[in-house]
Amino acid sequence: MALPAGETPALAVSRAQSLLRGKANFRCNVLRLLRPTACLLLSAAPNITFAQTYPTKPIRLIVPNTPGGGTDTVARAIADKVAPALNQQIVVDNRGGAGGAIAAEMVARAPKDGHTLLLGSAASLITGPALVTNRRYDPVKDFAPISLLGTTAYMFVAHPSLPVKSVQEFIQLTRAGAGRITYTSTGQGSPSHLAGELFQALAKVKMTHVPFKGGAPAMLSLLQGESFTMFANFLTALPQVREKRVRALGVTGLKRSTLAPDIPTVDESGLRGFEVEQTYSVVTAAGTPPDIINRLNREITQRFAVADVRQRLAHEGIELQTSTPAELGRLNAAQFEKWLKVIQQAGIQRAD
């Protein structure tokens, strides 16, 4: 091959070497650019696989209560509505006992693959763990939040013989009575008990607690005039209010209930910051891949939050409400700290 005019063999060799070095540098630069992308793709591969294959078997939804009641109703609505979207059966597994701790611990120790879920309530995720000193699971760190499902408030009711018609009148009467006003509850450490402790702390009053084992005997005590007041289950109290067997002083949520919009909240009645609500949510074991959490949240918020489910929950006094995983995480953490403080100040913390 003839050399270009004026180029010696030595110059031709030098030019060829420069060209080869340029091509080599180009290939190295391309590899440098591609290497981070390749590593990123490889690191994301497990999550992509999870998202594409989950779920691979039936999902177990553990309920910390026996069949029947609000928690069980919410769980079965989830199973009915969300299972078809996941192409897998959702099996409701009722595991009552120990205030919800048995069910919660099962989920906290389950494989981190999204196939074991907990239908969480205040008892299993908030007040229950706050009541024991040697709790076997951390209600915040051991669970990955998925979505809030609903809330229900309580009703603050009084026996008609008590000469009060509002929260403020009740506070004035209680301050004058200095402990003579009694309030009944469904048991030591129950939501109705803790509501009374929060009320006393915020209103700076003193009442005498009269606990019973269950809602029926507690309500009977109130109806018979043995106790003066109660923070009662909404659906249990509402018929008694309508029949004028007890008087409603307020509801414990921060907004009025759609089931009884004429009854003011305790907060709007002047006791600012007073809020007591039962919450229902879905969580799973901490460490479950985010893609699985997001998939479950997406299906729940789209399939669960529909009109017929809303009506179904309303029969149990539950207002349907969903959330993002982050919103639920913040809510549970804040509620746990709130009730832990109330329980410790009231001196009702116990060993499990």
Side-chain angles (χ1 to χ4, degrees):
M1 178 182 294
L3 294 174
E7 185 173 53
T8 67
L11 287 174
V13 170
S14 177
R15 184 167 60 83
Q17 289 175 339
S18 297
L19 181 61
L20 289 172
R21 282 196 299 270
K23 289 181 177 179
N25 289 335
F26 176 78
R27 286 196 296 269
C28 289
N29 289 334
V30 170
L31 287 174
R32 289 193 191 98
L33 291 172
L34 291 179
R35 189 176 294 116
T37 305
C39 291
L40 180 62
L41 290 173
L42 288 173
S43 65
N47 285 337
I48 293 171
T49 302
F50 280 130
Q52 290 175 342
T53 61
Y54 174 82
T56 59
K57 59 184 178 180
I59 296 170
R60 190 178 174 201
L61 178 56
I62 298 180
V63 179
N65 303 88
T66 55
T71 308
D72 191 59
T73 297
V74 175
R76 295 184 187 279
I78 284 285
D80 291 346
K81 293 296 183 179
V82 180
L86 296 172
N87 295 315
Q88 284 286 356
Q89 185 181 11
I90 296 179
V91 180
V92 176
D93 185 355
N94 295 89
R95 296 296 182 106
I102 292 175
E105 190 173 5
M106 288 175 65
V107 177
R109 305 292 176 255
K112 308 176 190 304
D113 58 8
H115 289 93
T116 306
L117 312 178
L118 175 69
L119 200 296
S121 65
S124 58
L125 290 178
I126 300 168
T127 58
L131 280 164
V132 297
T133 56
N134 58 334
R135 43 188 172 269
R136 296 186 296 272
Y137 61 91
D138 189 302
V140 176
K141 295 180 181 178
D142 287 345
F143 299 98
I146 297 172
S147 179
L148 182 67
L149 301 173
T151 60
T152 182
Y154 296 85
M155 190 179 292
F156 183 32
V157 292
H159 190 270
S161 64
L162 209 62
V164 296
K165 293 185 179 180
S166 70
V167 169
Q168 287 300 321
E169 288 180 358
F170 177 80
I171 290 174
Q172 295 303 319
L173 179 68
T174 306
R175 285 175 178 167
R180 293 197 298 269
I181 300 297
T182 58
Y183 78 99
T184 185
S185 79
T186 60
Q188 187 81 354
S190 66
S192 55
H193 175 204
L194 298 182
E197 295 294 346
L198 179 62
F199 187 94
Q200 291 179 86
L202 293 179
K204 296 180 173 54
V205 299
K206 177 63 178 176
M207 299 186 290
T208 299
H209 177 220
V210 183
F212 286 87
K213 291 184 178 180
M219 178 57 73
L220 182 61
S221 172
L222 179 64
L223 293 174
Q224 292 178 342
E226 298 171 350
S227 302
F228 289 118
T229 60
M230 180 180 180
F231 291 90
N233 175 284
F234 208 98
L235 289 186
T236 301
L238 192 56
Q240 307 298 340
V241 170
R242 288 172 175 166
E243 293 175 12
K244 301 186 184 306
R245 300 181 69 187
V246 297
R247 181 179 296 125
L249 300 181
V251 295
T252 65
L254 289 181
K255 62 179 182 178
R256 297 194 182 197
S257 170
T258 56
L259 300 176
D262 56 318
I263 302 176
T265 68
V266 175
D267 175 84
E268 74 178 89
S269 299
L271 197 60
R272 293 300 180 186
F274 183 87
E275 178 191 17
V276 182
E277 285 190 320
Q278 171 69 283
T279 58
Y280 304 90
S281 61
V282 176
V283 299
T284 190
T288 299
D291 281 2
I292 291 179
I293 300 296
N294 293 333
R295 170 85 189 278
L296 286 167
N297 178 269
R298 182 171 64 252
E299 300 299 351
I300 287 171
T301 53
Q302 291 179 356
R303 312 281 177 166
F304 181 76
V306 292
D308 61 319
V309 173
R310 191 177 301 277
Q311 293 173 357
R312 188 171 170 181
L313 299 191
H315 287 298
E316 297 289 339
I318 301 169
E319 293 195 32
L320 191 154
Q321 185 179 349
T322 59
S323 71
T324 66
E327 289 169 342
L328 176 59
R330 289 192 294 269
L331 173 65
N332 284 348
Q335 288 291 307
F336 178 72
E337 290 301 320
K338 167 185 173 178
W339 290 111
L340 180 62
K341 182 179 179 180
V342 170
I343 288 165
Q344 290 176 339
Q345 288 180 340
I348 56 175
Q349 194 168 26
R350 65 174 190 269
D352 195 7

